[in-house]
């Protein structure tokens, strides 16, 4: 019973994070503030009130329209909030959170896990919607992974040297990218991708990392086949040139983490 209530709370928390990710996806590329600035309707710029900001319920009660200008709100935002709620619940289940055994470490791990998930969701969202791999979010992610490495070190985790290697590679890549940026005035996409992969390796370990790479390659393969069929069938040239590899890495990593945790925590015990 208590566990069900906990899962419901986690689901609702997830939907709130979902609506935050949508907001961050639109504001970060525009360099707008994601914490203080009031939410507003993108169509009429009207400030949104408390009742407009409940995830899922606001959408249902307002009939999928803005209360002020009646502009339709895309159903995908609504579906995305449900999806993040489900992902949060699956994550909690896969980690086998024990409500009777909560201490400082589990709370810290939960906090880190939410941060880690949020960074993946926001990077995926921005690349999917705006075709940009946000460097600031990637930098922030790297800082969070350093925090995690330091924490692991203080806890005496055995494979901390593995982490130090990731860290050194990460810093080197940032330096190389910085040089590239100075020369070309843009970041190197492939270096950024490797940094992103290292980020997932730090949080989910080498095995989940390898699974992430495999799922990424398979799903990009499928996407390309679908695009090829679509292109063949339509005479209009599609504009899908950008590979959006970061999006696939983020999604694959979330899937791989949940599956591997489920196997580890349920099958091997
Ligand atoms: Zn409006």
């Amino acid at each position: 019973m208590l566990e069900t209530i906990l899962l419901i709370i986690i689901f609702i928390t997830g939907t709130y994070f979902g609506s935050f990710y949508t907001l961050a996806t639109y504001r970060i590329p525009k360099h707008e503030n994601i914490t203080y600035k009031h939410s507003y309707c993108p169509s009429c710029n009207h400030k949104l009130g408390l009742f407009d900001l409940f995830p899922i319920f606001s959408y249902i009660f307002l009939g999928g329209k803005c209360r002020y200008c009646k502009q339709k709100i895309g159903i995908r935002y609504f579906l995305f909030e449900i999806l993040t709620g489900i992902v949060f619940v699956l994550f909690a289940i896969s980690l086998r959170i024990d409500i009777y055994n909560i201490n400082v470490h589990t709370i810290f791990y939960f906090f880190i896990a939410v941060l880690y998930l949020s960074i993946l969701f926001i990077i995926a969202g921005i690349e999917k919607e705006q075709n940009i791999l946000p460097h600031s979010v990637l930098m922030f992610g790297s800082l969070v992974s350093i925090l995690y490495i330091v924490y692991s070190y203080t806890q005496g985790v055995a494979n901390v040297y593995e982490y130090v290697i990731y860290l050194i590679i990460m810093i080197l890549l940032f330096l190389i990218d910085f040089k590239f940026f100075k020369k070309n005035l843009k970041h190197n996409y492939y270096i950024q991708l490797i940094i992103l992969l290292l980020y997932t390796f730090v949080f989910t370990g080498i095995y989940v990392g390898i699974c992430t790479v495999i799922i990424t390659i398979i799903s990009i393969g499928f996407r390309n086949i679908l695009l090829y069929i679509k292109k063949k069938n339509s005479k209009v040239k599609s504009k899908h040139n950008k590979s959006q590899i970061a999006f696939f890495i983020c999604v694959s990593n979330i899937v791989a983490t949940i599956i591997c945790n489920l196997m580890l925590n349920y099958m091997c015990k």
Side-chain angles (χ1 to χ4, degrees):
M1 184 62 198
L2 206 55
E3 258 125 29
T4 317
I5 296 171
L6 182 72
L7 288 181
I8 292 170
I9 294 171
I10 291 173
F11 178 79
I12 295 169
T13 313
T15 61
Y16 266 99
F17 272 93
S19 77
F20 170 70
Y21 299 153
T22 304
L23 176 140
T25 298
Y26 285 92
R27 287 195 186 174
I28 289 173
K30 287 199 264 171
H31 302 288
E32 283 182 29
N33 198 303
I34 53 169
T35 47
Y36 311 115
K37 215 177 144 193
H38 218 285
S39 293
Y40 55 87
C41 164
S43 142
C44 65
N45 285 327
H46 195 292
K47 265 192 187 173
L48 297 182
L50 187 65
F51 292 107
D52 306 312
L53 292 171
F54 283 111
I56 299 178
F57 291 107
S58 294
Y59 188 89
I60 295 169
F61 290 127
L62 297 172
K65 284 178 202 146
C66 168
R67 184 201 298 271
Y68 309 99
C69 67
K70 306 285 171 219
Q71 174 74 33
K72 272 210 164 177
I73 303 163
I75 192 159
R76 60 206 188 104
Y77 302 115
F78 170 72
L79 295 176
F80 179 68
E81 280 166 4
I82 294 177
L83 178 79
T84 44
I86 293 172
V87 169
F88 270 56
V89 168
L90 284 176
F91 225 87
I93 292 174
S94 80
L95 288 174
R96 255 201 167 163
I97 289 178
D98 184 1
I99 193 163
Y100 303 104
N101 213 346
I102 285 180
N103 54 38
V104 186
H105 298 304
T106 48
I107 292 171
F108 181 83
Y109 268 110
F110 190 71
F111 175 71
I112 283 281
V114 169
L115 254 178
Y116 144 78
L117 257 184
S118 300
I119 289 163
L120 288 181
F121 263 113
I122 293 171
I123 290 178
I126 294 179
E127 187 167 67
K128 182 94 193 122
E129 295 291 316
Q130 327 253 351
N131 256 332
I132 305 163
L133 207 170
H135 193 70
S136 57
V137 184
L138 201 58
M139 285 283 263
F140 180 68
S142 307
L143 285 176
V144 175
S145 58
I146 292 171
L147 183 80
Y148 183 69
I149 290 171
V150 172
Y151 175 79
S152 304
Y153 182 73
T154 60
Q155 295 301 308
V157 172
N159 54 350
V160 78
Y161 295 104
E162 188 186 311
Y163 287 149
V164 175
I165 295 168
Y166 295 151
L167 198 63
I168 293 169
I169 302 172
M170 233 182 217
I171 293 167
L172 280 176
L173 288 171
F174 268 113
L175 289 175
I176 299 168
D177 179 55
F178 180 69
K179 271 209 151 173
F180 185 87
F181 184 79
K182 264 173 89 180
K183 210 172 153 192
N184 305 291
L185 291 174
K186 63 174 187 184
H187 295 286
N188 185 301
Y189 187 63
Y190 295 98
I191 293 176
Q192 283 186 307
L193 286 182
I194 300 171
I195 295 172
L196 179 62
L197 264 181
L198 282 171
Y199 168 80
T200 67
F201 272 56
V202 168
F203 283 102
T204 57
I206 191 147
Y207 297 112
V208 178
I210 293 167
C211 289
T212 302
V213 175
I214 295 168
I215 299 173
T216 303
I217 294 169
I218 294 171
S219 46
I220 289 177
F222 266 113
R223 194 268 320 256
N224 287 350
I225 293 168
L226 284 176
L227 277 181
Y228 179 75
I229 295 167
K230 230 176 158 183
K231 223 174 170 180
K232 240 186 152 183
N233 291 337
S234 71
K235 286 182 178 81
V236 194
K237 277 230 164 118
S238 108
K239 278 181 219 154
H240 277 280
N241 296 322
K242 193 84 194 247
S243 38
Q244 296 198 325
I245 299 170
F247 168 80
F248 283 98
I249 291 176
C250 294
V251 176
S252 305
N253 185 243
I254 293 172
V255 172
T257 308
I258 291 173
I259 292 174
C260 291
N261 280 338
L262 280 175
M263 292 199 329
L264 211 77
N265 288 327
Y266 289 88
M267 283 171 151
C268 305
K269 268 180 190 168

